[in-house]
């Protein structure tokens, strides 16, 4: 009895099938991503980082640090995205901000890794590169008329929101036993001061001089409230993002108000937020270096007149846009740089900020019931006022509410955190107005009031 002999084509088919199957599995693995990282690359990064951490030899060079913070940032974001309730209030950003801080405080991350990330974060200070890319790209990709109207209008909900936050915070603080003026000066104002470097520190110096007190003790009293106010704003804006998904009529998905001819035409609006482009690489690079040059000019203005460099940059780029100083292809190049930073850099930036600059104990110290209630009431008053006033002004209410929330943010870092939770990084120019200009006015008024009333 003879056995059947496989034909050449059948034999080849039998050999190719496992190969094709392996290729399919590998392709599927490479197409599965943790954030932006293909799964096999992600696993390789984790193995390498673990190995170098065990050896205690994590290099601080930029290439290695990029691998570490990208893996750390997108791991935290993926965890937050998969927690059912948390993801509805900005879980990805919340976990990326606070989990690394908790792990550092309890010594659950390898010390060499923490030291390398901290040194890299503080030496590069690359949050300003991030803010530059976002502010320049978002402004130059806006419709010129929308930009002018937006900046003209945003001060109305912001100013009214500040008054509402101060009034509501003072009243709630009085009801819970802190006292009306003490609530305003020691709880509400720190939350609305604009962060640490340009808010809490000058505020503590001014208070200490007015009262003849120790500046270090005053700063220690103020800092926890600043961190907790930022946390409340993150949670509220995460909830606003969820509301925007359910009620698309209330949101411009990152645009402050409808542009000319844009109502009922979502395709025109979506073009500004697209992740695809036909622009050439050289023009994208030109857009990036244009933003860097404008920021450096902002630092020069800061050295001459003391205006913070990000604010100077903001004014400069708005002037350039209003005067049509950048041709359309170059503006598109800055938009591509902006989208790259939003997609690829946001979570790594939050991760390294959490490791290096977000002390866990500062947040925990703010958990006094009276403080908590007062801070929550202040932030909600800010946000609610922005929502309703924005609606009256025919702006998108969710966007104006988010900008107002940034008034209770932790400076530039806080703006990144809040806008990440809201998934509206396009609002960064307006957030900078709320945080830096609003914060500076708040701090100045509070120091004058403290010198006059001397509230202990």
């Amino acid at each position: 009895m003879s056995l059947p002999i496989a034909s050449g084509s059948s034999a080849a088919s039998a050999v190719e099938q496992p190969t094709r199957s392996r290729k399919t599995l590998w392709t599927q693995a490479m197409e599965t991503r943790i954030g932006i990282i293909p799964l096999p690359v992600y696993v390789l990064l984790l193995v390498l980082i673990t190995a170098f951490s065990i050896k205690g030899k994590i290099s601080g060079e930029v290439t290695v640090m990029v691998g570490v913070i990208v893996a750390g940032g997108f791991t935290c974001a993926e965890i937050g995205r998969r927690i059912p309730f948390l993801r509805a209030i900005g879980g990805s950003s919340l976990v990326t901000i606070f989990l690394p801080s908790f792990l550092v405080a309890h010594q659950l991350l390898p010390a060499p890794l923490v030291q390398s990330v901290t040194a890299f974060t503080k030496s590069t200070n690359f949050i300003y590169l991030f803010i530059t890319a976002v502010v320049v790209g978002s402004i130059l990709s806006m419709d010129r008329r929308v930009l002018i109207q937006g900046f003209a209008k945003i001060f109305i909900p912001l100013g009214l929101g500040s008054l509402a936050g101060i009034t509501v915070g003072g009243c709630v603080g009085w009801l819970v036993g802190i006292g009306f003026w003490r609530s305003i000066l020691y709880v509400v104002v720190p939350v609305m001061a604009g962060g640490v470097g340009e808010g809490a520190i000058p505020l503590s110096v001014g208070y200490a001089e007015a009262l003849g007190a120790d500046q270090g003790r005053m700063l220690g009293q103020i800092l926890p409230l600043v961190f907790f106010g930022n946390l409340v704003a993150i949670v509220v804006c995460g909830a606003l993002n969820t509301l925007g998904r359910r009620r698309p009529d209330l949101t411009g998905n990152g645009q402050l108000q409808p542009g000319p001819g844009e109502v009922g035409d979502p395709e025109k609006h979506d073009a500004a937020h697209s992740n695809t482009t036909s622009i050439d690489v050289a023009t994208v690079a030109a857009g990036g270096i244009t933003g860097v040059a404008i920021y450096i000019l902002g630092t020069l203005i800061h050295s001459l007149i003391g205006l913070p460099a990000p604010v100077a940059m903001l004014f400069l780029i708005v002037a350039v846009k209003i005067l049509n100083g950048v041709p359309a292809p170059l503006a598109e190049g800055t938009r591509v740089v902006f989208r790259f930073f939003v997609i690829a850099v946001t979570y790594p930036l939050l991760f390294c900020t959490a490791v290096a600059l977000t002390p866990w104990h500062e947040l925990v110290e703010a958990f006094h019931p009276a403080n908590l209630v007062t801070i929550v009431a202040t932030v909600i008053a800010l946000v609610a006022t922005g929502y309703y006033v924005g609606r009256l002004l025919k702006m998108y209410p969710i966007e104006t509410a988010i900008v107002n929330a940034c008034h209770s943010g932790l400076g530039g870092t806080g703006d990144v955190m809040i806008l990440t939770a809201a998934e509206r990084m396009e609002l960064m120019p307006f957030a900078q107005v709320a945080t830096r200009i609003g914060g500076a006015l708040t701090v100045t008024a509070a120091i004058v009031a403290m010198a006059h009333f001397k509230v202990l």
Side-chain angles (χ1 to χ4, degrees):
M1 179 178 176
S2 62
L3 294 173
I5 299 173
S7 67
S9 61
S10 299
S13 230
V15 172
E16 285 174 7
Q17 181 122 15
T19 304
R20 190 181 300 116
S21 176
R22 284 195 296 271
K23 283 183 178 178
T24 302
L25 289 173
W26 176 254
T27 302
Q28 288 175 346
M30 288 297 288
E31 289 174 351
T32 302
R33 297 185 182 183
I34 306 298
I36 62 168
I37 317 171
L39 183 59
V41 177
Y42 174 77
V43 172
L44 176 62
L45 277 174
L46 289 187
V47 170
L48 293 172
I49 292 167
T50 302
F52 280 112
S53 296
I54 292 171
K55 283 186 170 185
K57 294 181 179 179
I58 293 186
S59 169
E61 67 171 288
V62 65
T63 310
V64 175
M65 282 295 97
V66 166
V68 170
I69 65 176
V70 166
F74 285 109
T75 298
C76 293
E78 190 71 17
I79 292 170
R81 190 177 68 83
R82 292 180 180 276
I83 299 174
F85 171 74
L86 203 60
R87 67 187 177 201
I89 55 171
S92 291
S93 54
L94 282 171
V95 172
T96 310
I97 295 160
F98 294 108
L99 178 59
S101 178
F102 173 84
L103 296 175
V104 170
H106 293 82
Q107 300 181 345
L108 298 175
L109 284 178
L113 185 146
V114 173
Q115 291 166 4
S116 296
V117 171
T118 301
F120 173 77
T121 304
K122 292 183 176 180
S123 64
T124 59
N125 207 14
F126 77 100
I127 187 170
Y128 287 109
L129 178 62
F130 182 91
I131 290 173
T132 297
V134 171
V135 168
V136 172
S138 57
I139 286 179
L140 291 182
S141 61
M142 280 186 200
D143 181 272
R144 183 169 168 269
R145 192 184 306 174
V146 171
L147 174 68
I148 295 169
Q149 292 175 350
F151 272 99
K153 286 183 177 180
I154 194 59
F155 289 99
I156 300 173
L158 187 57
L160 293 175
S162 299
L163 291 175
I166 290 169
T167 304
V168 171
C171 292
V172 171
W174 173 69
L175 289 173
V176 297
I178 301 176
F180 182 77
W181 285 110
R182 183 173 177 81
S183 296
I184 290 174
L185 291 171
Y186 287 95
V187 180
V188 176
V189 166
V191 167
M192 295 168 53
V196 177
E198 294 169 358
I201 292 176
L203 189 67
S204 66
V205 171
Y207 280 10
E209 289 179 357
L211 299 173
D214 178 67
Q215 189 263 335
R217 183 184 66 81
M218 194 66 69
L219 182 61
Q221 184 178 340
I222 289 172
L223 267 181
L225 308 177
V226 176
F227 280 100
F228 188 75
N230 193 74
L231 171 60
V232 175
I234 291 167
V235 173
V236 170
C237 288
L240 284 171
N241 182 40
T242 300
L243 174 63
R245 290 199 190 107
R246 295 176 180 174
R247 291 286 306 277
D249 57 303
L250 299 175
T251 179
N253 294 311
Q255 185 159 297
L256 201 60
Q257 63 179 20
E262 201 166 283
V263 178
D265 186 12
E267 290 185 7
K268 184 174 180 181
H269 172 65
D270 289 344
H273 301 79
S274 172
N275 294 332
T276 60
T277 185
S278 58
I279 208 79
D280 63 282
V281 175
T283 305
V284 173
I289 199 63
T290 299
V292 170
I294 292 171
Y295 177 78
I296 294 173
L297 181 55
T299 63
L300 174 62
I301 294 172
H302 170 68
S303 68
L304 295 174
I305 63 174
L307 187 68
V311 177
M313 174 189 68
L314 177 61
F315 289 152
L316 288 169
I317 198 64
V318 168
V320 168
K321 178 66 177 181
I322 290 173
L323 296 171
N324 287 323
V326 172
L330 188 59
E332 172 66 6
T334 64
R335 187 194 70 82
V336 174
V337 174
F338 155 57
R339 294 303 303 166
F340 169 80
F341 272 80
V342 169
I343 293 168
V345 183
T346 301
Y347 290 113
L349 172 62
L350 292 181
F351 175 79
C352 63
T353 300
V355 170
L357 304 173
T358 308
W360 179 256
H361 68 276
E362 298 284 5
L363 183 66
V364 173
E365 285 176 12
F367 280 79
H368 184 285
N371 287 341
L372 300 187
V373 173
T374 306
I375 291 171
V376 170
T378 300
V379 175
I380 289 177
L382 262 171
V383 171
T385 304
Y387 182 95
Y388 288 108
V389 173
R391 198 165 193 175
L392 289 173
L393 294 173
K394 301 190 184 306
M395 304 166 80
Y396 289 115
I398 287 179
E399 273 64 27
T400 49
I402 290 168
V403 171
N404 268 23
C406 290
H407 193 11
S408 55
L410 193 62
T413 305
D415 290 342
V416 175
M417 295 175 180
I418 292 167
L419 297 180
T420 302
E423 296 183 8
R424 282 163 177 78
M425 200 62 72
E426 296 85 356
L427 294 174
M428 180 62 80
F430 304 103
Q432 291 284 289
V433 170
T435 303
R436 298 184 184 277
I437 298 176
L441 293 174
T442 301
V443 169
T444 303
I447 291 173
V448 171
M450 180 63 80
H452 181 73
F453 292 107
K454 296 191 183 298
V455 178
L456 295 171

